[in-house]
Amino acid sequence: MAGNFRFTMDQKDIVRFLTTTIDSYIQDRLINKEQRTQHKEQCAERLAAEDGSCDKDTEVEYSDQAVLANLDWGIEALEEAINTYNMETKLARLDYAEKMLQVCAMLNPKQKTAGVPNYYLSAWAHLNLSYLWKLRNNIQNCVSHVLEMFIVDPFFSRIDFAPEFWKSLFLPHMSSIVGWYSEERHRLMMEVIPDSSDLSFTADFDQFFNESLVFSMRPHQLDKLQKLEKLYGESLDENTRLYAKYYKDCMNSDSTSGKKVAPMLPIAEPPMTPLHELSRSVPDFVKFGPILPKSAGFSLISRSKDGVSETNRENSTSSHSKVEKSSIWDAKDNIIEENEEDSDSELDDASVDSDNKNNIFSPGIRMVKDEDIEPKVHLSNQKNQIHSPNIFSPLDSPRTAPNNSSTNPDTHSKREPKYLRLLSTRLRDSTISDSLSLSPDHTFNSDNEVMVLKNIQRKNNDQTLSMNRDNGNSLGLNDSSLCESNEGNQSCISLPKLEKLTIGSKPPKDFVCPITGQIFCDPVTLETGQTYERKAIQEWLRTGNTTCPITRQPLSANILPKTNYVLKRLITSWKEQNPELAQEFSNSNTPRGSSCSPSAKDFPMLSIIQRTTDSPSHKSKENYIRQRSNRFMRVVVATSPTSVLSQAAVETIMNSLKPYISSLCTSENLQECEEAVLEIARLWKDSKTDPQIHAYLSKPTIINGLVEILSASLNREVLRTSIYILTELIFLDESVGETLNSVDSDFDCLATLLKNGLDEAALLIYQLRPVFAQLSAHELIPSLVQVIQNKNEESDDFQLVIDPKDAAIAILEQILIGGDEYSRSLNALSVISENGIPALAKYLERLEGRRSVVSILLCCMQAEKGCKSLIANRIELSPVLELFHAGNDSVRGICVEFLSELVQLNRRTVCNQILQTIKDEGAFSTMHTFLVYLQMAPMEHQLAVASLLLQIDLLVEPRKMSIYREEAVETLIEALWQKDFSNTQMKALDVLLFLIGHVTSSGKSYTEAWLLKIVGFDKPYNDLIKAEQLGQYDNDSMETMEDEKNAMNSWQKRVAFVLCNHENGSIFQALEECLRSNSLRMAKSGLVLVSWLTYMLSTLPDTGIKDVARKSLLDELINVLQSSKNLEEKILATLALKTFISDPIAHETLRAYAKNIYRTMRKLKKYSAVAVDIMKAILNLNSVDVTELWSCKEVVELDLSSNGEVLSLLYMNGQVLSGHSDGTIKVWDARKRIPRVIQETHEHTKAVTSLCSSDDRLYTGSLDKTIRVWNIKPDEIKCIDVHDVKEPVYELTANAKLACYVSQGTGVKVFNWSEAPKLINFNKYVKCLAVAGDKLYCGCSGYSIQEVDLSKYTSNSFFSGTRKLLGKQTIHSLQIHDGFLFACGSSVDATAGKIFSLSSKMVVGSLSTGLDIYRVAINSDFIFAGTKFGTIEVWLKDKFTRVASIKMAGGHTKITSLVSDADGMMLFVGSSDGKIQVWALD
C-alpha cells in the first residue's frame, strides 16, 4: 500500500527530532499529575464498560485478574516513584513497576484478558514504561516504548493514550488519506442535500451539514458511509503503525557508520487517490475520524489476523438482539462536543461553521415507536474530550432502539425520517431558550455518580426570561424526563408529544429546584454555583452526602448560605405574571408519570456510596480510622421531604416529643428524666428516622441531656436506651458526634460505663472515632475483651445500628495498631492476660469483623511469641483462608503475615499439621492462590507468602520440579540481593532462619545456639535450655520425642536440599553479599545461615554445590576469622570452614592465610574441637612451612633481683605464682598481657624451691625444711597448714592425699600428711618429679626414669638411657600432658628429650638438639625447652618439629623456671639473675 524512497535527511537529525519531541511530551505528562490521573480514570472507565458488557455468567479466570492487577500495581508504583523524593524508595518502586508493567507489555495482542483486548493493555503498559524510563533518564528506552505503543495499538494510541502527540508526529504524513476521506464524505453528503446540483465541489459544505442529514439517508447511503468510516480508520491505523516502525528502525539502526543511510521513509497512500484538492481547511472530524467514547468499552472493536484494528459497528439492518448484547449502542458516534468557553451549551443554529472550534451541536435524536411516539434524546456523559462534528454518524442507525425502551423491536414507524427532517428544520429555524429541563428525580450510574444533564441555556437570566416571553418561534420542551438504563451508563431524555410543544407551558428552569421539581420557595446557591431548595439540600446533606448533587464537587462549608433573594424576587415577579402555572408547580410534586423515577431499591445508593470501599488500607492508620466505620454502615433509604411521613404526622410526633424533651432538659427529677428518655426513644422509633425529627433531637441541649442521663442513671434499660438514641443520631449525622467530642468529660463518662459492664457503650465510643491517645488513657482493653466474651442481650424494642462486639473489636484493633512499638506490645500482652484469645478465635466464625480479629491475633503473636501455641490450638484456619481468598491486597497481607507467624512453632510435627491444614482447606487451591498472590503482592508481603508457599511444598520430599517451590525460593534469594534495601535483606534472612525450624517456645530462632552446640561450645545452648526448656515437652512419651527429632532432621534436609540446589547454588552468591554488609546484625544472621547450609552440605548428596559454595564463601569466612571480635562468629566461621578444609582446591586459599588461620584456631581450640581439626589440617598442608606459623614477642621483663633467683613458677586460674630464693612468694594477675603483683608473702624463711597445686590448694616446698598448704582465693593465697619435714625440700609434687618430695640423698620421700615421711630408695639421685594418678615418675641421674607405685610404695625402672663414659647424663625435667610423659635433660646423641606414651611405655618422639634441657613447659600446641645458656627452643607438640628459638636477654643467664598459660598464648620465664620475662606467643 505504501511506497518507499530513500530519505536524504541525516539519521542523527531524525533521532534527535524523535528524542526531543517525545522527551518533551513525556516530561509534560510527568509534570501534569492531574492529566495522568484523568487519563487513568478514562482508561479505567473503558475497562469498566467492557466489564459491564460481559456476560455476567462468565467467570473471569484468576490469572486474568492477576494480569489486570499487575497493570494496576505497576501504575500505582510508578505514581509513588514520581511523587517521592527518597531516592531509595524511588528506585525500588521503579523496579517493582517495571516488573509489573512488563507482564502486560508482553501480552499476545491477538488474545483477550478478562474480556479486554490485550493490545489495549499492552499499549497502556508501554505508555507507562515510557514514563518509567524517563524517570531513569534513559531517553532511548523511553522513545522505544512510545513507538511500540503506536505499533501495538495505533487506534487507541491516537484517540486515548496520546492524541496530541499523534497529531504532531503522525498526522502530517496522513494528508493524502485525509484528502481522500474528505472528498468521499463530501460526495456522500451531496447525495443527501436537496438541490445540491447548484453546489460546486469547493463549496463550503459544512454550512449545509447538520445532524438531520444522517437520519435523512437511505439505508444504502448509510452503508456507504459506514464502510467509508471503517476504511478511513483502518488506513489511519495501518499508516500510523507503518510510521511508528519506521521511527523505531531509525532509533535502532547503527548510526556509527557514515555510509549507513536511514531506513526508507514510507508514504501514506489512501485507499483511492483523491480527484480534487480541497479548497478550504480540513474540518476537525477528518483528522481523527470516528471517536470511540470511554464508556463504549471494546466490544465494537475487533482485531484482524495481521493485528490491524477493525471497527465492527452495528449497521442499519442489525437486529434488536444484537443491540441488546452490545455494551453500549452507537458507541462511537453518540458524542456531544462541549463548548470550551461556555459550560452551558446554547443551541442556536443547526448549521455549523467548521472553522469555529467552539460550536455546540444538538444531541442526536432517536425514534422509538410507542403509543405516544415519544422521541428520546440520547446523550453521552463524556467530559473533557474534543469530538468531531459528525455527531450523527451513519453508523448509528435510526431504526435501532435501545434495549431499555418499551418499543417493540419488530415494528418501526415509517414516518421516522419525515419527522426527523421536520424536527431538524424546526431546530435550524428557531432558537431554543430553555431546551431540556431536568426531571424532579435523579438516578445514579454504575459509579455511584449522579447523572445530571445540563440544560442548554444562556448564562444571562434576563435574556433567558425575555426569550421565553417574546420569542414566538421558540421551542419549549416541557414534561421531559431523565432515565437511566440498569445495564449501562447511558441516559436518555424523553421529549414530549408534538402537540405539547407550546410556548410557556413550563416555568423557567432556573426557577425550579433540580431535586424536588418544584418552584423555589427558599432558594440557596451553593459554592459550586448550583441552586437548590433549602429543605431539599439539607436532607441531601443529612443522608451523609458531602458533594453537590449535580456537579459532584466536594462542599467545604458545613453551613448553608443565606437565601438567594435576587432569584426569589425574580420568581415572585414571574408568579405574578403566570399565576396558574405557578399554582400548578407549587402545590404538587412533578407528576410521576412524566419521569422515569428510580425505584425504592435504587435510593440506598445515596447513603452507601462511601460504604462500598473495602477494608481499610494499612498505608495510613489515620485513613484506616477515618474509613473503618464504613464497614458497619447499614443501608439507609434516602427520603425526600414528603416520601416517608406526611407533614401532619411529623408535627404530631414533634408535639408529642416536646414535653419529654422539656423534662429531659430542665427537670431535676432523675426518675422523670429516665421516663422521658424511654418515651423519646419510642417516638423516635415511630418516626422512622424522619429528618425533621432527627434535626430536632440533634440539638446540643438534648444531646447534653442524654449525656447527663448516662452519667447519673443507674437503670440499665435507661442507659441502653440513651445510647440507642445517641447512636441513631450519630449514625445519620456525624456532627452529633462532634458535639459529644467537644467535651472531654462525655468520653470519660462513656469509658466509665464501659468499664462498669455496659456493653453498648463500646458502640457509642466507636462512633465518636476517638484517637489513640484517648483510648490508651482509659485502659479499656480488659473491658473490651469482656464485651467480646459476653453474650449479646437481645432487645425486642430497639435494634442497634452496630453489634457492640463488632464495635469492641474495631476499637481493640485501633488500640493494638496505634502508638509506638512498646505500647503496642504492652497492649497485646494485656489482651493475652485477659484471656481474650479464645473469644477472638471463636469470633472468627463470623464474617463481620473477621479481618480485625486476624489483625488483633497477629499483634498478639508479634508481641508474645509464646501465645502461638494457644492460638494454633484454638483457631480454625478455614475462616482465615476464606478471608484471604475474598479480601483485597491489604487483607491478604494481614492473612499471610498471620499464617506465617502461626507456623513458627517450637514443634516441627505441629507445624507440619498446620501447613497440611492450610494446604487442604478451602474450595480453591491454596498453593495456586498463594502463587498468584506472590506475583502481585507488595514488597512487604512477598517474603511471608514465599515462606508459606515453600513450607507447604516441602511437606513432601522435593524430588520433582515444582513451580511453587521455584517461585518461592527465587523470591527469597532475590530479596537477599537487595543490598540497597537493608530492611528487605534482613527480613529475608529472618524468614530463612525460621524456615530451618529451630524455634524456641517464645518464638525465637535458636539455630545459632544449636550450631555452637555441635562444635562443642555448649554455653549458649545450655542457657537456652534453662530459659526456654528446649526439647522438654510435658506429658510427652519418648516415642513422641523421637518422632519430633526425626521430623526435625527430615525437615532440615529438605530445606537445605531445596535452598542449596536452586539454580546451582545461587543462594551462596547472595549470602556473600550479606556477609559483606556493614550491618552487624545482617552479617551475623548471614553467617548463621551460611554455617547451617555448609554444615548440611555434608549430609546431602554431592551434586557439585560444594564447589559453588567454596568459591562464594571461603574468602568471606576467612575474613570473619581475621576481623571479627565476636567469639560466636568466629566459631560459626570455623564450622563453615571445616566443610571446605578437605577440598584440595581450597588448600591454595588456606595456604595464603595459613598463619592467620592457625593463630585464630589456637585461640578457639578451647571452645571448639573443630578448631583443632583445622589446625591439624593446616599443619598437614605440604606447602605450609610450619616455622611460619610461629611468632613470639617479648611483652615485658620484670626485674625481681632484690628477691634473689626465681626458682619456681606456677600458672593457675589466670594467675602466676613465683617462688624466690629469699623465701618470698608473689602472686601475679596474668589475665592481661603485662602481669601485675596482687599479693606478696614471706611465710617461708628460706628459698622456695617448688610450687604445685591440686584442686583449690597450693603446696610449696622450701629449704626451710617445711611444706606449706595454702588456700587459693581469687585475689590472694592464705597459708592454712605447715608441715615440718626436718630436711630441705628441693623438688615437690603433692595432692590432697600425699606429698612426694626430693631431699638430700638418693630416692624419693612420700608423706601422707599425717605419718612420718617414707623413703623409697632406688639408689639414684632424683632431679625431678611428675605424678599421674597413683604413679610417680622420677627423673634421675644416669639418664633414667623410675616409676613408683604410690599404693604399694614400690619402684621399678621406667626408662634406662645409654650411659656415656664422659660426662654426667641426667633427666632434669619431667612433664605429663595428654597421656604423654615428656622427659628432658642432657643431650645424648644430639637428643635432649624423649616423649613416652604412658599407656604403652614406648618412645613416640624425641627432641633433637645438642643443648642440654633444664626446664620444659608444655601446652596444647608447643613444647618449650629451656637450655643451660638462656635459650628456649620451641617445638610443635604434634609433629615434634622445632619451629623457633627464643634468646633470653642478659647473655648466658641460666633458666631456672618455665611455665605457659592454659591457652598457650603466654610464656613466663624465670632466670637465675632474678628476672621474669613474659613472651606473647602468636
Side-chain angles (χ1 to χ4, degrees), residues 1180-1195:
N1180 291 328
L1181 294 177
N1182 296 328
S1183 57
V1184 173
D1185 185 358
V1186 294
T1187 60
E1188 296 178 356
L1189 304 180
W1190 161 264
S1191 66
C1192 64
K1193 179 180 180 182
E1194 183 179 358
V1195 178

Side-chain angles (χ1 to χ4, degrees), residues 7-16 258 260 262:
F7 190 58
T8 59
M9 184 179 181
D10 184 77
Q11 182 179 349
K12 293 183 179 179
D13 295 334
I14 299 174
V15 174
R16 187 181 303 110
K260 182 88 173 182

